[in-house]
Amino acid sequence: MADAGMISEREDGVERLRLGFWRENPILVQALGMCPVLAVSNTGVNALTMSLATTFVLLSSAIVISTIRGIIPRQVRLACFVLVIATFVTLTDMAVEAFALELHQALGAFLPLIVVNCMILSRIEIMASRQPISVAALDAIGMGAGFMLGLVTLGSLRELLGRGTLFGAQVMPDRFEPWQVMQLPGGGFFTLAALVIGFTLLDRSLKRWREVPA
Amino acid sequence: MTQELWGVFLNAALVNNFVLAYFLGICPFLGVSAKLDSAGRMGLAVTFVMLVASLCAFGINRLLGMIGAEYLSLISYIVVIASSVQLVEMFVRKTSPALFKQLGIFLPLITTNCAILAVALFQTQREYGLLEGLVFAFGAGMGFTLALVLMAGIRERLRLVDVPDVAQGMAITLVLAGILSLAFMGFAGMGASA
């Protein structure tokens, strides 16, 4: 992660997108921004809403910060970042409350908690405050997509095994006995652990597979 | 009254433990909890800042309620928490250099701990009064400390164990957290009045 800030400005935008989605995946590799995330991963819909909200906040704050990066004094930069992020989070919170009240109640205090999502602050600090708008925006989209990949997989798995449904629709046969533990907080930890292990294994075998023909 | 407060405390510390039931403050939980003594100190520092944050949030809610600007609450919380952490840091450095040295880097890092902001948010959402809010913050802090210390203890033992290669690091910590969280489910039903 340390060398991510040193890349040249001309670096390929597509590469930025891919980095965030896979090799520097915020949830499965960097373990960032877990706090307000695991709590809402009990169903696919909650997970999707949360990751969309987080991506929106990340993208808009990255664009704003990158635009004004020349005039932010270094000493108070963290306070400035947090202010911009908090503004967008408030906007998102209000929008969700206005358009989907039920969802807003399900997510509770976890939507405003996006403010302290360390993933957002670290992307702003590493990328948006040093790079031009286009690079910062692409990075934000890539990270957001990676975040969504991790969170939605987690949420769908927990919902599928814990309730037998997927995004609210019954998928499992009637005889399927839901695994109660998947809906409990402990299940969230276990599922994430399994995902991390799975991701590591998959990534390793992909690398090996790529190396063989070369 | 006393019983109600006890319920609030138990609920925050054990039944709905911030780390193990709400997944709050996971970052320091996974990051800092490798050593037993630093885990304890971190927990105490967080508890202290939680109390300050609870007090501030109560004041902010009153003030914003008066001028009818509740939509500013989130921004105010985060700014006030950040600056109060800074103030606390300066105060501790002047009055007790020994304690300051002990807390070290933990103090400034606490600003980005989601558990702190969550105390302010939950307290507002559940409409706790001043006293209830403080008890809630104290309970949450104690629960956080307990989880952190337990985890650190287990991880110190873990160093002697042969963990499979792929599960090293984060995965094994998450599995441990899951088991701890299941164990804490045993407290469900205690202090349920809150």
Side-chain angles (χ1 to χ4, degrees):
Chain A
M1 208 175 84
D3 56 17
M6 312 225 194
I7 55 154
S8 75
E9 287 198 6
R10 273 171 290 134
E11 202 203 33
D12 194 6
V14 183
E15 181 60 21
R16 276 279 96 216
L17 281 174
R18 267 185 40 210
L19 272 183
F21 191 68
W22 193 263
R23 225 177 59 218
E24 289 182 13
N25 188 299
I27 295 188
L28 299 171
V29 179
Q30 300 191 60
L32 284 176
M34 319 256 284
C35 325
V37 156
L38 278 167
V40 296
S41 67
N42 54 348
T43 70
V45 177
N46 284 359
L48 189 64
T49 319
M50 192 66 180
S51 43
L52 280 178
T54 309
T55 310
F56 169 73
V57 172
L58 176 60
L59 181 59
S60 8
S61 347
I63 291 174
V64 169
I65 300 275
S66 177
T67 315
I68 58 170
R69 70 184 189 280
I71 55 170
I72 298 179
R74 251 199 102 61
Q75 294 85 353
V76 292
R77 67 183 197 287
L78 285 181
C80 295
F81 298 166
V82 168
L83 268 184
V84 173
I85 297 172
T87 311
F88 282 111
V89 172
T90 309
L91 282 178
T92 315
D93 189 39
M94 286 172 170
V96 175
E97 191 172 13
F99 292 117
L101 190 60
E102 226 168 276
L103 215 53
H104 188 262
Q105 276 157 355
L107 295 177
F110 290 100
L111 216 44
L113 276 174
I114 296 178
V115 177
V116 281
N117 188 326
C118 10
M119 194 249 317
I120 296 185
L121 201 60
S122 82
R123 283 343 279 177
I124 301 274
E125 165 79 10
I126 294 171
M127 295 299 299
S129 62
R130 299 174 192 179
Q131 305 287 342
I133 300 174
S134 55
V135 179
L138 281 176
D139 176 71
I141 294 174
M143 280 292 157
F147 191 73
M148 202 179 292
L149 171 76
L151 188 55
V152 173
T153 316
L154 183 63
S156 319
L157 259 178
R158 280 184 73 188
E159 188 184 344
L160 187 68
L161 295 176
R163 296 187 184 182
T165 59
L166 201 57
F167 290 94
Q170 187 74 36
V171 203
M172 290 301 214
D174 286 339
R175 264 180 311 169
F176 174 74
E177 189 70 40
W179 305 2
Q180 208 75 57
V181 65
M182 296 306 268
Q183 286 293 306
L184 298 177
F189 284 117
F190 290 137
T191 319
L192 185 61
L195 274 184
V196 171
I197 294 177
F199 185 86
T200 317
L201 284 177
L202 186 64
D203 195 44
R204 268 187 208 174
S205 50
L206 270 182
K207 262 186 208 140
R208 222 173 295 140
W209 179 72
R210 241 181 250 146
E211 273 161 17
V212 170
Chain B
M1 185 66 188
T2 335
Q3 208 164 8
E4 230 168 73
L5 288 181
W6 182 234
V8 170
F9 176 81
L10 271 187
N11 198 11
L14 295 178
V15 183
N16 287 318
N17 186 289
F18 263 41
V19 178
L20 298 170
Y22 285 146
F23 304 102
L24 292 166
I26 299 274
C27 316
F29 181 64
L30 298 180
V32 184
S33 61
K35 266 202 195 140
L36 204 52
D37 58 332
S38 58
R41 255 180 271 146
M42 173 78 176
L44 290 185
V46 167
T47 311
F48 183 64
V49 179
M50 274 179 176
L51 285 171
V52 176
S54 160
L55 208 62
C56 292
F58 184 76
I60 291 173
N61 286 341
R62 274 288 162 87
L63 201 68
L64 290 182
M66 251 191 291
I67 58 171
E70 279 91 354
Y71 56 88
L72 282 178
S73 56
L74 184 62
I75 298 182
S76 322
Y77 290 154
I78 191 90
V79 170
V80 169
I81 289 174
S83 39
S84 62
V85 169
Q86 201 92 68
L87 267 182
V88 168
E89 193 189 350
M90 287 194 300
F91 180 76
V92 173
R93 186 190 289 171
K94 278 272 186 291
T95 53
S96 161
L99 182 66
F100 179 75
K101 230 182 192 166
Q102 267 200 334
L103 291 178
I105 182 75
F106 293 145
L107 215 44
L109 274 186
I110 291 170
T111 318
T112 52
N113 185 334
C114 20
I116 308 282
L117 187 63
V119 166
L121 289 170
F122 281 139
Q123 167 187 332
T124 312
Q125 215 173 40
R126 299 177 189 172
E127 294 172 353
Y128 285 152
L130 180 61
L131 195 58
E132 278 172 311
L134 284 178
V135 171
F136 175 67
F138 185 64
M142 284 292 113
F144 180 79
T145 313
L146 181 63
L148 214 61
V149 167
L150 281 177
M151 193 63 178
I154 299 178
R155 278 176 101 175
E156 282 197 345
R157 293 285 178 91
L158 202 63
R159 238 171 277 156
L160 309 171
V161 181
D162 187 20
V163 178
D165 182 36
V166 280
Q168 293 267 343
M170 189 163 85
I172 188 72
T173 316
L174 285 169
V175 171
L176 286 177
I179 296 172
L180 264 185
S181 160
L182 281 187
F184 266 66
M185 296 302 296
F187 291 116
M190 277 171 77
S193 63

